[in-house]
C-alpha cells in the first residue's frame, strides 16, 4: 500500500469520526427537547470510543503500525476491544430510538427484532465472528495481503471493530437489547472467548504472521495477552455486577425464609 492511498484512508477516517461526534451531539440536543436530559457522561464515552477507534486507522499510531507489529497490536486492542466497550456505554441505539420519528423508530425496532440480528447477537455467534476473525487474520496470509490492498486493509479493520462491538453487546446489556440470554450462558462464552484469545496470542508468539520480526512478534503477542486481559477483566466485572444487581433483593422487600 503506497503512502498516498494510506493518506486518503486517514482523511476518510478523520471525516467519519468528526461526523460521528457531531451526529451524537446533535441527537443529544434533539433528544433533550423531547425527553429527560441525556447524560453528558455518555457523550464522553462516545468521544473516547470514537477517538480510540479512529487512532487505529489514522495518525501516528496507524502509520507506525504498517511497519511495526507492536504498534499494530496496540491498534488492535484499541479498535477491537476498548473502543467497542466505551461506545456501548454511550448507548448509541437508545439515543437513536429517542431521536428518530415514531414511524422510523418502529422500522428500526422491527429490524432489531429480526432473526438475522438475533443470530449475530447470540454470544456464541458473536464470539466466533470476533475471535474466529482474528485467527483468520493472524494464522493465514491475510495479515500480509491486507497490507498490499487499501480496500482489504480497510475491510479487515472494519470487521475487527464491528465484530468487537457485536461481541461486547452480546455479553453486557447496557444499550437496547431485543434478544436476551442468561448470565450463565454469557459468562461461559466470555470465559471461552478469553481462553481462545490467549491461545491465539501464544500462537503469534511462537509463529509470527508474515515476515514480522520475531522480537516484535513476541512483544506484540505479550501485549495482546496481557492487554486483552485488562479489557476482558472489565467485561467480567461489568457482567458480574449486572448479575448481582439482577438477583439482589429489592429495597423494601424481605428476603424469603
Amino acid at each position: 500500500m503506497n503512502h498516498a492511498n494510506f493518506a486518503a484512508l486517514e482523511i476518510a477516517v478523520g471525516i467519519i469520526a468528526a461526523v460521528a461526534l457531531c451526529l451524537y451531539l446533535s441527537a443529544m440536543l434533539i433528544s433533550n427537547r423531547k425527553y429527560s436530559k441525556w447524560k453528558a457522561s455518555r457523550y464522553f464515552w462516545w468521544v473516547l470510543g470514537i477517538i480510540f477507534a479512529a487512532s487505529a486507522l489514522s495518525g501516528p499510531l496507524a502509520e507506525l503500525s504498517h511497519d511495526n507489529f507492536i504498534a499494530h497490536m496496540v491498534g488492535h486492542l484499541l479498535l477491537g476491544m476498548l473502543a467497542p466497550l466505551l461506545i456501548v456505554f454511550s448507548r448509541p441505539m437508545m439515543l437513536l430510538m429517542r431521536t428518530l420519528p415514531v414511524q422510523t423508530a418502529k422500522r428500526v425496532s422491527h429490524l432489531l427484532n429480526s432473526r438475522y440480528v438475533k443470530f449475530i447477537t447470540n454470544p456464541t455467534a458473536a464470539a466466533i465472528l470476533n475471535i474466529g476473525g482474528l485467527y483468520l487474520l493472524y494464522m493465514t496470509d491475510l495479515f500480509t495481503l491486507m497490507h498490499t490492498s487499501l480496500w482489504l486493509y480497510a475491510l479487515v479493520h472494519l470487521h475487527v471493530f464491528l465484530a468487537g462491538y457485536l461481541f461486547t453487546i452480546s455479553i453486557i446489556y447496557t444499550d437496547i437489547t431485543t434478544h436476551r440470554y442468561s448470565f450463565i450462558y454469557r459468562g461461559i462464552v466470555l470465559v471461552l472467548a478469553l481462553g481462545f484469545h490467549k491461545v491465539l496470542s501464544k500462537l503469534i508468539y511462537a509463529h509470527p504472521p508474515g515476515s514480522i520480526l520475531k522480537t516484535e512478534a513476541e512483544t506484540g503477542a505479550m501485549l495482546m495477552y496481557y492487554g486483552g486481559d485488562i479489557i476482558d477483566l472489565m467485561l467480567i466485572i461489568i457482567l458480574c455486577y449486572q448479575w448481582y444487581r439482577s438477583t439482589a433483593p429489592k429495597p423494601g422487600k424481605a428476603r424469603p425464609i
Side-chain angles (χ1 to χ4, degrees):
M1 187 190 311
N2 61 49
H3 188 270
N5 285 342
F6 180 69
L9 179 62
E10 278 194 305
I11 293 172
V13 170
I15 292 173
I16 292 171
V19 170
L21 295 178
C22 292
L23 285 177
Y24 192 100
L25 184 58
S26 299
M28 278 182 60
L29 297 176
I30 295 172
S31 175
N32 288 343
R33 290 198 294 265
K34 295 181 178 180
Y35 308 100
S36 58
K37 190 174 181 180
W38 189 256
K39 291 182 180 179
S41 60
R42 293 171 186 165
Y43 185 60
F44 174 73
W45 299 127
W46 176 262
V47 171
L48 282 182
I50 295 298
I51 289 175
F52 285 147
S55 67
L57 288 167
S58 62
L61 177 62
E63 188 168 354
L64 183 61
S65 68
H66 288 291
D67 304 309
N68 187 296
F69 188 71
I70 302 171
H72 164 83
M73 193 54 67
V74 172
H76 156 74
L77 292 174
L78 293 178
L79 182 66
M81 299 187 75
L82 185 56
L85 179 59
L86 294 171
I87 289 175
V88 165
F89 271 92
S90 71
R91 301 187 179 182
M93 287 306 303
M94 183 181 294
L95 180 60
L96 177 65
M97 296 298 283
R98 284 165 56 113
T99 306
L100 292 174
V102 175
Q103 291 302 320
T104 306
K106 287 181 178 179
R107 295 190 189 97
V108 173
S109 179
H110 180 73
L111 175 62
L112 293 177
N113 281 285
S114 66
R115 290 183 179 179
Y116 172 73
V117 172
K118 181 179 181 179
F119 172 74
I120 63 173
T121 56
N122 183 301
T124 299
I128 292 173
L129 287 171
N130 187 26
I131 307 301
L134 296 179
Y135 273 84
L136 184 64
L137 174 61
Y138 294 117
M139 294 292 102
T140 69
D141 293 332
L142 182 59
F143 180 81
T144 301
L145 290 173
M146 77 170 183
H147 288 92
T148 64
S149 168
L150 175 65
W151 292 107
L152 184 58
Y153 181 86
L155 184 62
V156 167
H157 283 77
L158 178 62
H159 172 83
V160 168
F161 171 73
L162 292 179
Y165 180 78
L166 277 175
F167 180 69
T168 304
I169 64 172
S170 75
I171 298 297
I172 56 172
Y173 297 156
T174 300
D175 205 353
I176 291 176
T177 305
T178 55
H179 308 287
R180 292 178 174 267
Y181 298 88
S182 70
F183 285 101
I184 293 177
Y185 174 51
R186 285 181 280 149
I188 292 172
V189 172
L190 176 57
V191 170
L192 289 174
L194 188 156
F196 279 106
H197 195 261
K198 284 179 174 294
V199 170
L200 177 59
S201 65
K202 291 181 178 181
L203 289 173
I204 293 173
Y205 188 97
H207 306 286
S211 57
I212 301 300
L213 295 175
K214 186 170 179 58
T215 53
E216 282 189 11
E218 290 175 350
T219 304
M222 291 175 65
L223 183 61
M224 179 181 182
Y225 189 96
Y226 294 108
D229 269 359
I230 295 173
I231 301 173
D232 284 329
L233 180 60
M234 294 179 189
L235 283 173
I236 292 171
I237 291 173
I238 294 166
L239 180 63
C240 290
Y241 176 72
Q242 291 180 340
W243 195 345
Y244 167 76
R245 285 287 301 271
S246 71
T247 57
K250 301 297 185 292
K253 293 186 177 181
R255 290 177 178 270
I257 298 175

